[in-house]
Every structure is written in C-alpha cells, then in structure tokens.
Amino acid sequence: MKSNTDKSTAKSKVAGTDTLDRQNSSEKIQQLDEFKSDATGQALRTNQGVKVADDLNSLKAGVRGSTLLEDFILREKITHFDHERIPERIVHARGSAAHGYFQSYKNHSELTKAEFLQDPTKQTPVFVRFSTVQGPRGSADTVRDVRGFSVKFYTDEGNYDLVGNNIPVFFIQDAIKFPDLVHAVKPEPHNEIPTGQSAHDTFWDFISLTPESAHMVMWQMSDRAIPRNLHSMQGFGVHTFRFINSKGKGRFVKFHWKPLQGVVSLVWDEAQKIAGKDPDFHRRDLWDTIESGHYPEWELGVQVIEEEDEHKFDFDILDATKIIPEELVPITPLGKMILNRNPDNFFAETEQVAFCPAHIVPGIDFSNDPLLQGRLFSYTDTQLSRLGGPNFHEIPINRPVCPFHNHQRDGIHRNTINKGQASYHPNSIDGNWPQETPPAAAQGGFESYQERIDGHKIRQRSPSFSDHFSQARLFFHSLSKPEQQHVINAYSFELGKVQRPWIRERTVNEILANIDLELAQKVALNIGVEPPTKGTVEVPEVNLQPAPSLSQMSFLPKDIKARKISVLVSNGVNADTVEDILNWALKEMAVVKLVGPSPAPVKTSKGEMLKVDAAMDSMPSIMFDAVVVVDGDDIADMQQNGEGLHYLLETYKHLKPLVLLGEHAQLLEQLRLTPDEGTLSGNSFADVQDQLKQGLLKHRVWAREPLAKMVPA
Ligand code: HDD
C-alpha cells in the first residue's frame, strides 16, 4: 500500500539522519516510510492537489470587506483544523514511545512455538509506548502514578501486544470493577481536580472499600511510582499467560522486562518540583537518550509454571493482585529489546498506536484471569471511538508487517481496495481465497489452547482470591529501610490530602493495619488518626519469605551510561578541569551539561570565553543525577549567588553526589551541610572521579536522608 506521497519528493535530510535511517531501520520502519510525507521542495497545495497562490489572505469582498463563503482554500484549511483532535485514551492518555527491535537469545521452541522466540538472528521490530495512567495528554510526567509499558511486536506471524505496567500487580481482580476504579482515581467529576494525582477523596474512598487493591497500592506508594526515567523501569505482563509449544504442551508464564540500565527513582520532593519545571521530563529524557545513541535495553524473561503446579502456591496464579516471587520461581531469560529510534510524528505513531492484550500470535494464549478476560474486550472497543471506526488496524503504525487478508469489508476510513467479488467464506467464485491455515509449528493458523473447562455459570469470586494482605505485607517487608520510609511518607502525603476523616481512618484501620501495624501506626500519627493497635482481619500465615527482588536496591545500575551530571561553571572557572570532566564523561558515556549563572558564556581563568549549555534556572539540579562545581579563581561568584547556593542545597537535599572542587569545598560549611560519602572535594577532578562514579552507581546517598529533611530547599 502506497501513500499519496509524491515518490519523487526531494529528500532533504538533516545531517546524520540518513545514517540513522539506514542503521536503525527495520521491516516496520520501511513499511512506515511508504506513508511518510516530506514537503521539502514541494508546492503548497490544497488537499485536492490545487497549488495555492496566497496562504496569507482569505478571499474578501474588497480589502476591508467580509470574507466570501466561496473561499474553498480557507474553508478546507479551517475545517481540517477544527477536526484535528481525537479523543484521548480514557486511561494512559499521556505517553511517549519509541521504535526498536527484539532479539531472542536462543531457540525457545521447547517453551513456545511463537516464531519471534525461535531464531536468535532474527530482529523483530517493536514499538513501545510508556504512559502515566491518571492524567490527561498534557499532564506532567513525574507525578506519582503507575506507568504503562506497552510493547507491540511486529512478528512475521502477526502483531503481538504485551500491554503491561511497571508494577507487577493490579488494583482489582475482576474487570467489572475497572470503570469504578478509573472513575475513582480520575479528577473528581464536579470540579475536574486533581490532575495527575491519586491524592484525593474519591480514590482513597474506593481503595479503602476495596481491600483487594492493598497490594497494588503499596507499590503505587513506593518509589516505583516516581521513576527517574522511562528506561529505568521494570515492566510486567501482570497476568498469568500461557506458552504453547509445537507439540501442544501448555505452560503458564508471567512476563518480566528488566532494564539493563538498572531501576532507579526520583525522590518525592524532586518529582513534584520537576512536574512544574519540566512537565515533559520523562518524554524529553527518552527522546534525548535515543537521539544521543544511548539506546535503552531491556531483557524479556518469563516465570514458567508447569500446569501440574497451578495449585501449588498459597495464592491463585489467576489473581492479578498477586506476584510469584522470583525467589520461588526464577525468571527464564528469553531475549533482549533495544529502543533505537524516535518516532517521526507523535500523532501518527504514538497517539494512533492501538494496543490490545487480545493481539496474540500462535504459541501464546490467555489464562482465565478474570481481569485479563475483560481486557480482551475493552481495548478494541475503546479504539472504535478513539480512532473512529473498525479500520484502525490500517493506520500505518498498527499494520502488521505480514500480509493480512480476510472477508472483513468497508467501514469508515477504509483504505484497502479489496479486489474480487466474494467477500465471504466459503466461496467458489474467488477460488475460496483467502483460505484458512491449519495450525503448525511455524506460520501456522492460530489454535486456542484446548483447556478442559467444567463449571457452573456463576457470578462469584473464587475463594482462592480472598487473601488481600499477605503479599502487600511481603512487599513492605522486602523493601530496604529508606524504601519503607518512602512508602510511609507517600501514604501520609496522599491521605493528608483526603478531606473526609472517615476515609483516612478506614484506610489506616482496615487496610494498613492489616498489612503492617507499624506502618499503620506511623501513617496514623502523621495524618492525625488514632493509631490502631490491631488489624481487622486474620491474615493467613503464608509461606513467603522477604523477597530481595522486590526492592529496587537489587537493580542498581551497573554503569553510568546516560546518567546526567550538571557541571557548574562561573567566571574564573578552571578550563582544564572542565576538559578533564568532559573527557571522563565521554569515556563513561555519561551526559554532562555545562550550567552557568546565565545562558551567556563565562570567562575562564585563562581569559577565554566558555560556552555554557544552559542557565541554572533552566537546568536546575533536579534534572541531574549529580552536580560538580568546578574550581576557579573567583569563588565569590558562587558564594554570593543565591540561585547557585540553592542549587547546591537541592542537590544535597535530594541525596545526590555533590562535588565541590578547589576552594568551593568551603561552600559545604557556608551552607551548613554535613559532609558524607556523597559530598566530595579535591583539588582536581581526578581526585574524586572514582568516588563520583561510585556515588552515581548507588544512585542516592540514602544515609543522608534524615539530615536532608532539615535542608531548607
Ligand atoms: Fe488497560 C490502556 C495496562 C487493566 C482498559 N492499559 C492501557 C495501557 C496500558 C494498560 C499500558 C496503555 C496502552 C497504550 O499505550 O496505548 N490495563 C493495563 C494493565 C492492566 C490493565 C497492566 C491490568 C493488569 N485496562 C485494564 C482493564 C481494562 C482496561 C481491566 C478494562 C476492562 N486500558 C483499558 C482501555 C485502554 C487501556 C480503556 C485505554 C486506551 C486503550 O485501552 O487503548 O481500553
């Protein structure tokens, strides 16, 4: 299928893009290229192809007269503009996406016949969209929220969508509660407040009346819900799915994405400030990271559960509010995903991409998880109103890379021109084409897994879904002390914004006290509720030991690739030190920005002018992982700069490595900051570079946290 793009279009590429096009192309990108339009060197025309002579003035009855209805150029332009918007996604409206590919480590045919998991030399194109859940399209990136993690694999056997989150469990067990959950968390209906937040009465009202949400909400109140960037997040398929191999053997699987960059988060104060200073923080970071060639990578793996082990756990594997700890069932690595290309057009790709958990390929199948079963319906349904009809699969980003033919016809926005007379099956007019394909190991027809079902038609929750607290407790007990404190702080913050006292009390007494009494008591004291002395339900004793894999501390980065360092320079700066830092960063593949008091160049100690990347107010410390103040012969410039001092206070407060070179070391005392392993000083950068790297690898100086609370920044 070709677009209306003039094939003779003059190609004028920005320097470097051509190389990128060649290097990071894929079958899918080549397919998308067919639809791309480049106006360089082209005449401005109407949508009907008529060349426009004047695009500045409408047609009027006299230069000062009224505009004429016959002005088809004006009408076409305005009409199109009037209809430019489509409904945003009902949830996950704010998102950012990238192209890349998935490559299997080896042939996994024993587990699944899915072809993209067979050939280790095959690169399957992917399009990945990350999202927040609550806020609208224009909301801030760094709000406390679950993050969506959707991957569309364009396999040779059709599109496979793994539509997951960065949290391995979900709020509810049955899809019938999804509209209630979303209504409760979304801005309240009377005043459309708050945006991008769950800290309000209706959310906590619902949550405190829905104990099955206890586990998920613990994750949401943890650092997982304020990721440092989109490429430092784990991803999870959440539900139990099935793999089926070519012999027809089925096994249950749970999908995991592990970022090779490590799992790191923001601190809460930082997240809130970034939301104001740079609402596009995550989107920008993903874009810049890919543009700079630091392609993010994830490992895909599965926990495999043999069918005969389905009932061997203390929980039900069909219950989406439960994890299977990795310590119980280790993850089998399947392959690697690399994101190496930004989209060309946000609307055409990121906004119009339509994911659906029902998009599966032979070798993968669903389980009876009642949350998953409801999702199988909802996603295609929502695209009908969002993308305006049943032909959204023809939108370039949604097309499979393999051919697709069937007897579905017509409908709004149909592009395909189906030839032939017979749009039904069976037929004898068109040779009975297109024909069915029997199931086979590869390129075979899809066959649902033949599961024996024997039951009553019944509207009831399985009793095996009834323990809502032991895994919430497991999660809390598996966190490090700083992470636990953040959970306490987050509950206190969120419930502190809840106006109705009975909702605060119910959350503390009927949810938190059943998870962990100390947690409940600490939160209670923080929000002015009587601390409980016991829970309200008997939580079963289950065989679950604290699981280190639930703590982010188990996934610290192994290198400092793409980590961001602010290098503060002012007049009198030592240019040699700047050079040393830049060379070191290049070697480590870290990103350095030279930040000055203003966007103007600063004068080095040698009297040369040094260009800066940005001023302090446009690149505040909250955008970086560490800050270095370069030595120089005019430290007064920094000592008397309120904004600069605030920059350093914030760096310290947010537990980041802070390097003060030369006489700048005095600033620590001036700011009354207690030195620790993250405050580094020396006469040259070489003195501190290794410690700085170690600090970045640890991500934060957690031991500083109690002191940092007192820093007025
Ligand atoms: Fe959903 C979007 C993830 C339960 C109904 N969901 C959506 C997206 C993600 C998830 C990542 C954004 C897709 C994109 O980037 O376009 N949803 C989940 C996960 C769930 C889950 C991990 C539980 C394990 N969702 C869920 C239920 C329902 C929906 C139970 C309804 C019964 N979800 C939708 C939706 C959305 C959606 C309304 C909005 C836009 C869209 O589908 O395409 O259909």
Side-chain angles (χ1 to χ4, degrees):
M1 151 86 56
K2 303 272 182 262
S3 72
N4 61 354
T5 311
D6 184 350
K7 297 304 269 177
S8 65
T9 297
K11 289 246 173 263
S12 109
K13 296 269 180 190
V14 200
T17 333
D18 265 336
T19 332
L20 183 76
D21 277 354
R22 277 196 306 277
Q23 277 174 358
N24 298 347
S25 193
S26 69
E27 225 176 327
K28 183 64 194 175
I29 299 292
Q30 284 155 24
Q31 187 195 50
L32 289 175
D33 284 345
E34 298 279 310
F35 295 87
K36 288 179 190 162
S37 170
D38 182 350
T40 317
Q42 297 292 319
L44 180 72
R45 296 173 190 250
T46 67
N47 288 337
Q48 303 307 317
V50 175
K51 287 184 182 162
V52 176
D54 180 352
D55 187 42
L56 294 176
N57 300 296
S58 56
L59 190 66
K60 297 179 210 76
V63 281
R64 299 183 62 250
S66 60
T67 301
L68 298 178
L69 189 60
E70 76 163 66
D71 188 351
F72 66 96
I73 297 178
L74 169 79
R75 276 191 287 113
E76 183 196 82
K77 188 171 174 180
I78 297 219
T79 303
H80 196 278
F81 169 76
D82 289 343
H83 298 274
E84 268 174 20
R85 287 290 166 271
I86 60 168
E88 65 174 30
R89 290 165 173 85
I90 163 81
V91 279
H92 296 266
R94 166 118 190 134
S96 308
H99 292 277
Y101 65 89
F102 173 83
Q103 195 160 1
S104 190
Y105 287 145
K106 62 177 194 126
N107 183 322
H108 296 288
S109 56
E110 171 46 33
L111 282 176
T112 172
K113 62 179 174 181
E115 211 185 22
F116 77 102
L117 289 167
Q118 314 289 302
D119 177 1
T121 63
K122 165 103 189 143
Q123 294 187 346
T124 300
V126 295
F127 189 63
V128 181
R129 183 173 180 272
F130 303 104
S131 46
T132 52
V133 180
Q134 198 264 14
R137 262 188 71 178
S139 54
D141 279 342
T142 59
V143 296
R144 174 175 295 285
D145 201 351
V146 179
R147 298 299 186 287
F149 192 128
S150 307
V151 183
K152 193 180 277 296
F153 298 79
Y154 300 95
T155 87
D156 291 344
E157 296 179 301
N159 289 350
Y160 168 51
D161 293 354
L162 184 50
V163 195
N165 280 340
N166 73 331
I167 290 179
V169 285
F170 203 64
F171 295 97
I172 46 169
Q173 296 171 320
D174 190 314
I176 199 166
K177 297 310 295 167
F178 190 70
D180 301 286
L181 165 73
V182 175
H183 288 173
V185 72
K186 278 274 177 181
E188 298 190 5
H190 59 306
N191 58 10
E192 184 100 346
I193 297 175
T195 298
Q197 290 175 40
S198 52
H200 59 117
D201 281 45
T202 54
F203 178 69
W204 288 96
D205 188 25
F206 177 79
I207 288 308
S208 58
L209 292 168
T210 310
E212 71 204 58
S213 65
H215 187 195
M216 171 75 167
V217 177
M218 285 292 282
W219 285 78
Q220 191 197 348
M221 294 302 115
S222 78
D223 295 345
R224 302 284 179 154
I226 41 170
R228 166 72 180 84
N229 49 49
L230 299 173
H231 56 81
S232 299
M233 302 194 305
Q234 273 173 283
F236 302 91
V238 181
H239 312 281
T240 297
F241 290 88
R242 270 200 171 90
F243 266 175
I244 298 111
N245 70 15
S246 56
K247 296 187 195 104
K249 180 167 173 55
R251 293 180 176 92
F252 293 108
V253 289
K254 280 201 161 246
F255 289 100
H256 295 249
W257 291 108
K258 289 211 166 141
L260 302 189
Q261 301 74 227
V263 182
V264 287
S265 286
L266 299 167
V267 296
W268 181 229
D269 181 61
E270 199 185 15
Q272 286 186 292
K273 287 175 176 164
I274 297 174
K277 289 264 186 183
D278 186 7
D280 305 304
F281 185 70
H282 284 155
R283 177 176 288 178
R284 190 188 309 283
D285 180 272
L286 180 68
W287 183 276
D288 290 349
T289 304
I290 292 176
E291 288 300 298
S292 64
H294 293 131
Y295 303 139
E297 298 179 24
W298 283 262
E299 180 169 88
L300 178 66
V302 276
Q303 289 175 294
V304 181
I305 303 106
E306 298 294 338
E307 281 190 334
E308 50 275 26
D309 293 339
E310 180 179 356
H311 301 292
K312 87 166 188 194
F313 303 98
D314 287 322
F315 48 85
D316 197 322
I317 64 165
L318 300 185
D319 173 358
T321 68
K322 304 295 184 297
I323 54 157
I324 307 181
E326 285 178 41
E327 287 73 6
L328 235 50
V329 179
I331 295 176
T332 306
L334 295 179
K336 207 150 77 165
M337 174 172 82
I338 297 178
L339 297 185
N340 61 4
R341 189 181 175 112
N342 282 314
D344 285 294
N345 183 289
F346 185 91
F347 179 81
E349 298 169 79
T350 310
E351 195 56 19
Q352 293 203 107
V353 65
F355 293 94
C356 177
H359 294 166
I360 53 172
V361 288
I364 302 180
D365 212 334
F366 317 119
S367 71
N368 294 332
D369 173 344
L371 189 70
L372 173 60
Q373 293 283 323
R375 291 181 76 194
L376 302 179
F377 165 73
S378 183
Y379 288 68
T380 307
D381 189 43
T382 202
Q383 314 307 348
L384 297 179
S385 54
R386 194 173 76 81
L387 298 172
N391 288 314
F392 61 86
H393 62 281
E394 293 198 3
I395 296 173
I397 193 69
N398 293 325
R399 295 175 159 264
V401 290
C402 60
F404 53 101
H405 300 277
N406 53 46
H407 296 104
Q408 295 165 36
R409 290 291 184 275
D410 310 344
I412 201 151
H413 303 147
R414 185 71 170 180
N415 280 297
T416 308
I417 302 170
N418 296 105
K419 297 205 288 185
Q421 261 176 284
S423 51
Y424 52 85
H425 169 93
N427 73 70
S428 63
I429 293 183
D430 286 341
N432 206 22
W433 293 108
Q435 289 177 9
E436 295 149 305
T437 312
Q443 301 289 347
F446 182 84
E447 182 190 35
S448 287
Y449 183 65
Q450 294 189 10
E451 183 189 4
R452 194 184 137 81
I453 300 285
D454 184 12
H456 295 279
K457 193 195 288 181
I458 188 167
R459 206 178 270 282
Q460 195 187 304
R461 204 70 64 94
S462 167
S464 55
F465 281 36
S466 63
D467 166 18
H468 305 314
F469 297 112
S470 48
Q471 286 215 352
R473 183 180 290 173
L474 167 75
F475 175 69
F476 190 62
H477 291 171
S478 302
L479 298 182
S480 65
K481 284 284 169 224
E483 288 172 302
Q484 286 187 340
Q485 187 57 48
H486 301 162
V487 169
I488 295 166
N489 297 349
Y491 273 104
S492 307
F493 176 91
E494 297 256 324
L495 290 168
K497 288 204 162 192
V498 168
Q499 302 298 311
R500 292 168 178 81
W502 69 86
I503 298 178
R504 294 184 184 202
E505 284 158 14
R506 192 168 54 214
T507 311
V508 167
N509 293 318
E510 295 177 34
I511 305 290
L512 297 185
N514 293 324
I515 298 173
D516 182 276
L517 206 51
E518 212 182 315
L519 161 72
Q521 289 165 344
K522 287 186 173 163
V523 173
L525 285 173
N526 286 345
I527 59 167
V529 164
E530 185 67 33
T533 51
K534 58 178 175 42
T536 52
V537 297
E538 205 61 56
V539 181
E541 282 298 321
V542 292
N543 178 23
L544 292 171
Q545 299 302 317
S549 63
L550 302 181
S551 161
Q552 290 190 202
M553 303 292 176
S554 304
F555 302 103
L556 286 174
K558 295 196 172 52
D559 57 41
I560 60 168
K561 191 171 128 182
R563 304 304 292 283
K564 297 206 166 94
I565 303 166
S566 165
V567 173
L568 291 187
V569 292
S570 48
N571 285 328
V573 65
N574 183 341
D576 293 338
T577 311
V578 174
E579 187 79 21
D580 289 347
I581 299 174
L582 292 174
N583 288 337
W584 171 82
L586 200 65
K587 198 174 83 208
E588 298 286 350
M589 294 173 80
V591 177
V592 162
K593 296 285 174 200
L594 298 185
V595 179
S598 78
V602 294
K603 198 182 241 174
T604 69
S605 51
K606 293 179 186 157
E608 289 158 356
M609 297 313 283
L610 177 71
K611 264 175 69 177
V612 301
D613 294 305
M616 285 177 189
D617 60 353
S618 67
M619 279 205 182
S621 79
I622 46 180
M623 295 180 180
F624 295 93
D625 296 300
V627 172
V628 180
V629 187
V630 182
D631 55 311
D633 56 16
D634 187 7
I635 87 154
D637 229 28
M638 194 69 195
Q639 260 175 334
Q640 290 157 17
N641 178 344
E643 203 173 357
L645 298 177
H646 182 259
Y647 208 97
L648 305 186
L649 286 174
E650 257 189 352
T651 309
Y652 186 90
K653 189 182 178 75
H654 297 147
L655 318 175
K656 296 171 186 174
L658 173 61
V659 182
L660 301 168
L661 294 176
E663 291 182 32
H664 286 308
Q666 298 167 18
L667 289 169
L668 218 51
E669 210 180 319
Q670 181 186 335
L671 295 170
R672 302 172 66 190
L673 299 176
T674 311
D676 59 29
E677 54 165 319
T679 54
L680 309 173
S681 50
N683 286 328
S684 72
F685 184 65
D687 294 344
V688 295
Q689 62 184 45
D690 292 342
Q691 286 160 283
L692 173 60
K693 182 171 176 182
Q694 286 314 311
L696 282 164
L697 290 175
K698 288 185 191 155
H699 185 54
R700 304 280 165 161
V701 187
W702 295 116
R704 188 191 293 164
E705 210 165 16
L707 285 176
K709 270 204 306 218
M710 291 182 256
V711 174

